[in-house]
Each structure stands twice: as C-alpha cells, then as structure tokens.
Amino acid sequence: MLMLLSMCVCTLLLGSQAQDRASMWRGNDRSGLCQYSFTVASPGEASCPQVASGPELEGLKTRLGLLEALVSRLAAGDAGSGSTSSGSEPGLRDVLDQAVGERNLLRAEKQLLEGELEALQRRMEDMRKEMENLGNRPCPPQRTPQTLNPALQDSSLDRPSGGSSAMSPLMGRPNSQGNTGGLRDPAWEFSGPGFQEMKAEVTEFPVPDRPDDTSGCGHLLAVGEPVIHRKADTIAGKYGVWMQDPEAVSTYGPNMVWRIDTVGSDVRQLFGYEDMEQLSKGFPSKVMLLPEAVESTGATLYRGSLYYQRRRSRTILRYDLSSESIAARRDLPHAGFHGQFPYSWGGYTDIDLAADESGLWAVYSTSKAKGAIVISKLDPDTLEVRRSWETNIRKNSVANSFMICGKLYTVASYTSPNTTVNHVYDTETSQSKAVAIPFRNKFRYTSMIDYNPAQKKLLAWDNFHMISYDTRLGRQ
C-alpha cells in the first residue's frame, strides 16, 4: 500500500513539475515513518489525462485508510475469535449434544405417536366393520301372543275356576312397556304340545379350605397362574401400578379399574376404566391429572382415595377421587426415599403402600432399621402412624411385597420365571418365618404386586403387562 501511495504521489508531481528533470519528495506516512518519493519528467508526454486529480486522490487516500483500518480490525478479530473459540468449544459441544439428544427424543416420541395413531386407526376400522355387520343383520321377528302354543292358550289356567273371563292378578299385571298380556320369558317357546326334556350337567368344584375367621382371612397357601388383562402401549408403561378399590364409595363403584404408568420424571396421570373389559380394550372413561407427581409403583386405592408417595420425598398424599383434590398429607417418619432403601429391582421403590382386610399399610425402611423392612399401620383419614413393626427381612434382598390379613409376604425374585413367596411376617405375633410358595414372573420383570382383599387376588405389573393371580387362603 505504501508503494501504491508513492506511485500516486510520484505521478502527481510528474504532472505538476514537468519543467524539472528530476525531483525528490520526503515526508512522513500515516504511521510516522519517513518516506522518500522520486519523480522524473517524461520526455515525450505533455500531460497525464488518466492521473487522478487532487480531490480524487484524497478520496483514494481516504478509502485506503478505511481499508487498512478494516484489515486491522479483521486481523484483531480473528486473533480474538481464535482464543474465544478454543475457550468456548466445550460449551458449544454441550449445546450440540443437548440438541442432538432432544432431536432423538423427539424422533422417539414421534414414532410412539405414529404407532398409537396406527393402533387407533385399526380400532376405528374394526368398529366400522362391526357397525356394517350389525347393519346387515335382519331384525328379530316380533313375537305375538299367537306364537305361543295354542294348547296353552286354551288351557284352563288362563281363566279362574268360576268361569270368569278375567285373568288372574299375576297374569294381568302390566309390564314395563304397558302391555297387559301375560308375563313370559321370550326364550320360553314350545315346539309342540308335548313335554320338553330338561337336561342338567353337574360340575364338581373342590371345597376351599376353611378360613381362620368369618372375614375370610387366613394364611396364604397358594398363588394361581398369571392372567393377562392388558399390555401397555408406550415406553411409559414398562413399569406401573393398577388397582381396584376394595371398599369403593358411591362416586366410583368396585368395578372401576385405575392405572398409572410410572416411567417419567413428572408422573401425574391417573386413568380410570369402567370395568376390566374396558381396561382390556384400552378405553378409559376418566383421566385425572394429579396435583403432585408420583414416585414409583407404591400407590394403592382404599375407601375412595388414592394413596401415593410424592416424588423425591417421604411425604404420603391422600387424593380424594370424588373431589379430585389432596385431602391429607403427612411425612412418614424417618422413611428412606428416592433410592435409599428400594426393593431389589430398584425403581425408587422405597415406600410401598398397601390395603388389606385390616386397613392401610406402609412398607419401607429407615436408617435406624439399617435397611430392614418396617411395617406401619396408617390412619386412612389423617395418614398418622398408629403402630410400627421392625422386621428382620432386608428390603433390598426381596423383589416386592404385599399385605394379606395383617401379614407381610415377600417375593424372592422379579426376573426369575419360577420364583417363590419366600418370607411372611405376622403383625399379630410379631414373628417372621420362611415359606416357599411358588410364584411366576411370566414376563420376567415384575415391578409391582398388590393384594385386593375384595377379590382375593394379587394384581401385578410385569414388563408392560397388567396381570392378576388367584390366591388360596386357609389354615396352615
């Protein structure tokens, strides 16, 4: 750039001082350095028409100065950005990793939603075909009194013995449609005046063992084979809890089935199904959004309320299903939570709530108990601890547990297809003993087991599947 300026100055001097044969010009440049410029007159050219004039030269100098400043700024910026880039590279990599992770999560969620959409479309197509089949069926013929056996219509049973034409009060009583004809079952048809042969089949059922008392309580003697009711549709249902209220109140009857999918960081949806058939079809009739998130699979239902552990705390909540609000809350004293004393399968199963014939229970452990199972009887209204028992069963050595008639039963393994109910602790005698009652993990990952005293069944969640088991109780 300095040489270009020198050439321009030289050319200018050449045009203005043509009478001299040679001249020298000396001056400081923009950086303060001394600069020498030489000019030589042209022997043949009288003028330089393409040489810039004074103002044009000044403009050129100005533009060159701006270019130099811009180059300096860019050079300084490159140097600074190089150091900044090296310092901020880990931060940019974290942002990139986070963006890639969110993209993968969104892709997975999209695939799940597409699968659910396909399932819904298949259900709609099945329902449409069923509607078409129903529409093509002929209407059943309307039965009239003439379809009955004439021999029966002429029978003297239609008239009183005195010869009156009036029908008996029972035969003349109107039905729900206002028809004053005789009462009859539509299926009670006769093909002729003769008699019908009636047949009966007799099936023998084994007599169950006599229970210990009139309430149906007793010792657990056997667990039946698993019965599958439904498989969860999404990854959120790998673990979960499903329940029926053994002492349902007026708002929801005893047939209502409730379900919570517990995989996620903010589990708050409670699905309700009118009965087991609707559960198997996957059609909930009620969906509630719990005000506080659920921790793991230890929830239970009792007397119209959902009892569950609040996420990342030892707080137990009673959620009233009728008012859809929290009715009570209480910290379980000294209870471990969020992975301190879980079952052997993990899953933050530190506090397990249960209901049986004798009431509401909490199964957990404390630092004082050093990981041994503690059983507490709870007040179902206030959640206050009425009494506690400390057992000699290590909580992380068993896969799950359930309460029957005030007795705690534990399951040895959550993955073995053929395991056992291996311990029982009786709160009445404060004694425990080892047992060996066969139990099947059909899908090899049982994350929840609860007992329903009204149905005498065990309800379990095994690797996406909602399963029930029959039980047999009796004297030991």
Side-chain angles (χ1 to χ4, degrees):
M1 291 182 186
L2 295 177
M3 292 181 64
L4 181 61
L5 278 172
S6 300
M7 291 175 64
C8 293
V9 173
C10 179
T11 304
L12 180 62
L13 292 175
L14 178 62
S16 60
Q17 301 176 1
Q19 67 276 16
D20 297 330
R21 292 188 174 276
S23 63
M24 183 185 69
W25 179 85
R26 184 180 66 178
N28 293 331
D29 61 3
R30 292 179 179 272
S31 62
L33 297 176
C34 182
Q35 179 180 3
Y36 293 87
S37 300
F38 298 90
T39 60
V40 179
S42 173
E45 294 179 347
S47 63
C48 298
Q50 296 180 353
V51 175
S53 61
E56 293 177 352
L57 181 60
E58 292 300 325
L60 181 60
K61 290 180 180 179
T62 303
R63 288 195 296 272
L64 287 173
L66 292 175
L67 287 174
E68 289 178 356
L70 182 58
V71 170
S72 300
R73 288 175 57 188
L74 289 175
D78 290 341
S81 64
S83 60
T84 304
S85 174
S86 61
S88 62
E89 183 177 354
L92 293 175
R93 185 178 294 108
D94 292 341
V95 174
L96 178 61
D97 293 342
Q98 182 179 359
V100 171
E102 292 179 355
R103 183 198 63 184
N104 294 336
L105 288 176
L106 289 174
R107 286 181 176 176
E109 185 175 357
K110 177 185 175 184
Q111 293 177 355
L112 291 175
L113 290 176
E114 289 176 349
E116 293 180 0
L117 178 61
E118 291 178 359
L120 287 174
Q121 289 175 347
R122 288 194 299 269
R123 290 177 188 168
M124 290 177 64
E125 182 65 21
D126 294 341
M127 293 176 66
R128 185 186 63 79
K129 292 180 180 179
E130 186 175 355
M131 291 282 291
E132 291 179 355
N133 293 334
L134 290 175
N136 295 330
R137 291 181 183 176
C139 294
Q142 185 177 3
R143 292 186 176 91
T144 61
Q146 285 74 19
T147 59
L148 292 176
N149 194 325
L152 291 179
Q153 290 183 352
D154 295 338
S155 173
S156 60
L157 292 176
D158 291 342
R159 301 178 183 272
S161 59
S164 171
S165 61
M167 300 179 66
S168 67
L170 177 62
M171 298 297 288
R173 183 178 300 165
N175 59 16
S176 59
Q177 284 79 24
N179 182 13
T180 58
L183 296 177
R184 58 188 176 86
D185 188 340
W188 187 253
E189 300 291 346
F190 296 89
S191 59
F195 67 90
Q196 269 189 329
E197 181 182 1
M198 302 188 69
K199 298 180 180 179
E201 294 182 0
V202 179
T203 304
E204 295 184 359
F205 292 91
V207 179
D209 293 319
R210 183 181 176 183
D212 289 346
D213 54 41
T214 57
S215 66
C217 271
H219 295 273
L220 179 65
L221 302 180
V223 177
E225 289 296 305
V227 178
I228 305 169
H229 298 279
R230 179 162 180 78
K231 181 180 180 181
D233 300 318
T234 66
I235 188 62
K238 180 175 176 60
Y239 317 131
V241 54
W242 71 291
M243 310 153 282
Q244 284 185 288
D245 195 339
E247 298 185 20
V249 294
S250 57
T251 305
Y252 302 101
N255 294 328
M256 194 79 173
V257 184
W258 301 90
R259 160 190 172 183
I260 304 175
D261 297 343
T262 59
V263 176
S265 59
D266 188 28
V267 177
R268 295 198 296 153
Q269 283 188 325
L270 174 64
F271 298 93
Y273 304 83
E274 290 183 354
D275 50 33
M276 297 293 287
E277 182 180 0
Q278 295 302 312
L279 172 69
S280 64
K281 293 179 179 178
F283 299 144
S285 59
K286 183 70 176 180
V287 180
M288 297 183 184
L289 188 65
L290 301 174
E292 300 185 48
V294 179
E295 182 88 316
S296 196
T297 61
T300 193
L301 272 173
Y302 187 61
R303 294 181 182 177
S305 292
L306 172 71
Y307 298 86
Y308 70 95
Q309 176 192 357
R310 184 166 64 89
R311 178 171 169 77
R312 291 182 176 270
S313 74
R314 59 171 59 93
T315 304
I316 301 175
L317 303 175
R318 178 168 79 87
Y319 179 79
D320 183 73
L321 298 178
S322 299
S323 62
E324 300 186 19
S325 62
I326 298 294
R329 69 172 63 231
R330 187 178 295 271
D331 285 353
L332 192 59
H334 312 295
F337 63 94
H338 204 65
Q340 289 180 292
F341 304 109
Y343 290 123
S344 60
W345 76 271
Y348 303 129
T349 50
D350 300 78
I351 299 176
D352 192 6
L353 302 173
D356 68 355
E357 294 85 350
S358 56
L360 182 66
W361 302 87
V363 179
Y364 59 102
S365 187
T366 65
S367 298
K368 181 181 178 181
K370 298 179 180 180
I373 291 179
V374 177
I375 310 169
S376 289
K377 185 74 173 293
L378 304 181
D379 185 296
D381 295 324
T382 65
L383 302 177
E384 183 179 1
V385 175
R386 292 178 175 174
R387 186 180 172 184
S388 296
W389 294 261
E390 183 177 322
T391 73
N392 59 353
I393 306 169
R394 307 295 298 177
K395 193 165 186 291
N396 62 3
S397 69
V398 297
N400 224 304
S401 71
F402 50 90
M403 297 292 300
I404 298 180
C405 301
K407 302 175 183 65
L408 175 77
Y409 293 88
T410 64
V411 179
S413 172
Y414 62 95
T415 56
S416 176
N418 296 296
T419 184
T420 60
V421 177
N422 59 346
H423 293 288
V424 57
Y425 183 91
D426 192 342
T427 58
E428 185 177 353
T429 62
S430 299
Q431 297 293 324
S432 66
K433 64 178 180 179
V435 293
I437 302 171
F439 184 91
R440 285 195 60 199
N441 294 308
K442 184 175 181 64
F443 298 99
R444 303 191 180 190
Y445 210 105
T446 301
S447 58
M448 162 259 171
I449 306 175
D450 266 342
Y451 175 68
N452 186 296
Q455 301 178 359
K456 306 297 183 186
K457 292 179 182 290
L458 293 177
L459 306 182
W461 197 292
D462 186 0
N463 202 7
F464 293 95
H465 295 82
M466 284 150 268
I467 295 177
S468 68
Y469 303 80
D470 287 329
T471 61
R472 186 161 61 93
L473 308 180
R475 292 178 179 175
Q476 217 166 19

